[in-house]
Amino acid sequence: MVDLQQHHTFALTAQANSLIQITSVEELQARLPFKQPFVILGQGSNTVFVDDFAGDVLHIALKGIQRHSTDSHHLLNVAAGENWHELVCWTLQNGITGFENLALIPGTVGAAPIQNIGAYGKEIASYIDSVEYLDIQSGALFNLAGEECEFGYRDSVFKHRLHAKVVITAVNFKIPIQWQAVADYGELRQLQQPTAQDIFEQVVAIRQQKLPDPAQVGNAGSFFKNPVISQQQYQQLQQQWPSMPHFAVNPQQVKVPAAWLIEQAGFKGKMLGGVQSHPTQPLVLTNIGQATGEQLLAFARSIRQQVHEQFSIMLDNEVRLIGRHGMVSL
Ligand code: FAD
Ligand code: EPU
């Protein structure tokens, strides 16, 4: 048995049968067929083990960065086990600009396409040329073009048709050499003609101020996704809640900040056992000490229920919850 507390950032106490480090694609292929149940894990920053897991955890630790350039683009092939934030720093140190808005997002490069990581006005989908993966059933290697990854807000084909069927081994990025600042999200607007380094530093500063550091207090970032509702529902709600913040997604749909809904529902700063809704960002649930999976599930369910009763909006968890036999839903 192996203790998983150090292997997921929410840091609940949980055990698994074993934790297997994967450092090469050949090693991965040699392990096929995987014994059921199994879980693929990067740095566990979007995964919470809410119970002991009765199977093997495959920790993807593939390493390596290859770089090429054309007249118009930088091309990077990055192994799945590389750390995302270290890659962002490496690109800037090497004169490659574009990833700066996505600084300080925890986790691996291999997990980045799965929920199409995004922050401060950018999503990684815009830079993904293709995703290399191993098909778990056949052992064959594929290279899926970015356009076929069905990227959406915190979404991709890897959460649907290819869920639990593939291991991402590397990501190919295509980054235009011609750079343009994206600085119209929140506090970034204060920057005057920023460089990529300015944006990087500002994003790091905002994140350090707002979000709890998993090294200090266990958490998995935003626990829920920001709900997308119809214009019609938004207009009805707005009559009752005129201050409800919103962002247009398209002419028919509107995104509402889950943090606002959770705060209005009275959960900001609230605790249940060892679980707390973070006092400066209520969308982040934290493990303030000795939290249990049961407490986390109970707290998240009561938030979801209260928000639903008050706003008729059903929150959907962003975090992957792993129970005894695999993924569980709230
Ligand atoms: P894990 O949690 O290890 O895995 C996530 C999922 O991907 C699991 O289902 C796992 O099975 C699967 N998986 C992982 N690697 C592979 C692979 N190689 N092949 C196949 N499947 C795989 N996310 C954002 O988008 N934006 C943010 O701003 C943001 N901020 C965060 C802030 C904090 C403090 C924290 C703790 C998290 C934040 N997150 C954010 C969420 C998290 O950082 C991302 O989801 C990240 O991509 C997860 O990487 P990971 O390696 O830790 O994934
Ligand atoms: N808000 C409140 N009360 C609060 C905090 C925020 O009402 O205490 C409202 C405000 O209206 C604010 C809005 O929520 O304008 C948005 O807050 P914030 O800018 O902090 O972003 P978010 O929507 O809560 C999303 C992502 C984050 C990402 C940030 C920055 C999701 C689920 N979360 O959070 O991603 O870092 O934007 O782009 O989309 C993650 O996915 O784990 C994550 C941290």
Side-chain angles (χ1 to χ4, degrees):
M1 298 295 275
V2 59
D3 190 349
L4 295 173
Q5 194 170 26
Q6 302 298 319
H7 298 283
H8 64 139
T9 60
F10 204 88
L12 294 179
T13 310
Q15 310 255 309
N17 284 356
S18 67
L19 184 110
I20 301 159
Q21 298 286 340
I22 301 293
T23 56
S24 74
V25 174
E26 293 72 32
E27 211 176 317
L28 203 52
Q29 285 171 316
R31 291 201 167 268
L32 292 171
F34 298 158
K35 210 162 86 207
Q36 298 282 349
F38 65 88
V39 161
I40 309 291
L41 195 67
Q43 286 166 354
S45 62
N46 207 31
T47 300
V48 182
F49 289 95
V50 292
D51 199 348
D52 290 336
F53 175 61
D56 300 329
V57 174
L58 300 173
H59 175 239
I60 306 305
L62 303 165
K63 294 288 160 118
I65 303 177
Q66 287 175 48
R67 173 190 180 171
H68 301 280
S69 294
T70 65
D71 288 347
S72 57
H73 288 85
H74 298 294
L75 306 175
L76 300 181
N77 174 277
V78 187
E82 290 287 346
N83 176 271
W84 171 257
H85 178 68
E86 283 170 18
L87 177 69
V88 175
C89 297
W90 181 90
T91 55
L92 289 173
Q93 281 153 13
N94 285 277
I96 301 173
T97 49
F99 288 175
E100 55 282 345
N101 298 59
L102 303 173
L104 221 59
I105 298 180
T108 54
V109 167
I114 292 176
Q115 75 155 3
N116 177 21
I117 56 168
Y120 299 96
K122 279 198 181 177
E123 287 183 337
I124 197 55
S126 0
Y127 296 102
I128 293 182
D129 194 31
S130 66
V131 176
E132 296 178 19
Y133 69 76
L134 172 116
D135 179 284
I136 291 172
Q137 208 184 353
S138 67
L141 295 169
F142 292 87
N143 191 11
L144 188 70
E147 303 82 63
E148 291 173 52
C149 290
E150 298 169 23
F151 288 123
Y153 164 64
R154 296 292 189 273
D155 205 16
S156 75
V157 70
F158 303 106
K159 282 188 165 186
H160 302 281
R161 185 169 56 81
L162 296 182
H163 170 66
K165 295 199 165 63
V166 306
V167 179
I168 293 177
T169 54
V171 181
N172 291 301
F173 297 103
K174 188 172 179 187
I175 310 161
I177 291 175
Q178 187 88 42
W179 177 79
Q180 233 188 337
V182 172
D184 43 16
Y185 186 100
E187 293 96 321
L188 293 187
R189 289 200 203 102
Q190 297 157 5
L191 299 172
Q192 303 289 321
Q193 297 191 321
T195 63
Q197 187 65 28
D198 295 335
I199 294 176
F200 171 87
E201 283 166 17
Q202 183 79 347
V203 167
V204 168
I206 300 168
R207 295 184 68 101
Q208 283 176 337
Q209 191 198 331
K210 276 196 193 168
L211 294 167
D213 176 358
Q216 312 290 331
V217 54
N219 76 89
S222 301
F223 191 86
F224 297 100
K225 291 190 259 189
N226 285 328
V228 175
I229 60 173
S230 68
Q231 269 286 355
Q232 195 188 9
Q233 185 180 8
Y234 168 69
Q235 274 159 15
Q236 280 164 3
L237 285 168
Q238 207 203 13
Q239 288 173 7
Q240 199 183 345
W241 309 90
S243 66
M244 180 184 249
H246 66 287
F247 307 91
V249 175
N250 57 43
Q252 291 81 38
Q253 290 180 306
V254 164
K255 198 189 269 182
V256 179
W260 186 87
L261 298 169
I262 294 169
E263 181 170 354
Q264 299 303 312
F267 284 97
K268 185 168 172 166
K270 279 261 174 75
M271 295 174 210
L272 177 76
V275 183
Q276 184 176 29
S277 163
H278 194 60
T280 57
Q281 177 36 290
L283 181 51
V284 178
L285 304 187
T286 60
N287 175 0
I288 53 172
Q290 310 298 315
T292 64
E294 278 171 16
Q295 288 167 354
L296 175 64
L297 293 177
F299 195 51
R301 283 173 184 146
S302 64
I303 291 175
R304 194 177 59 163
Q305 187 184 338
Q306 182 62 36
V307 166
H308 187 248
E309 276 171 22
Q310 213 164 322
F311 301 97
S312 302
I313 293 176
M314 189 60 96
L315 293 177
D316 186 13
N317 51 300
E318 174 189 304
V319 168
R320 303 299 190 96
L321 303 165
I322 309 293
R324 181 161 286 276
H325 304 289
M327 198 147 88
V328 291
S329 45
L330 249 198

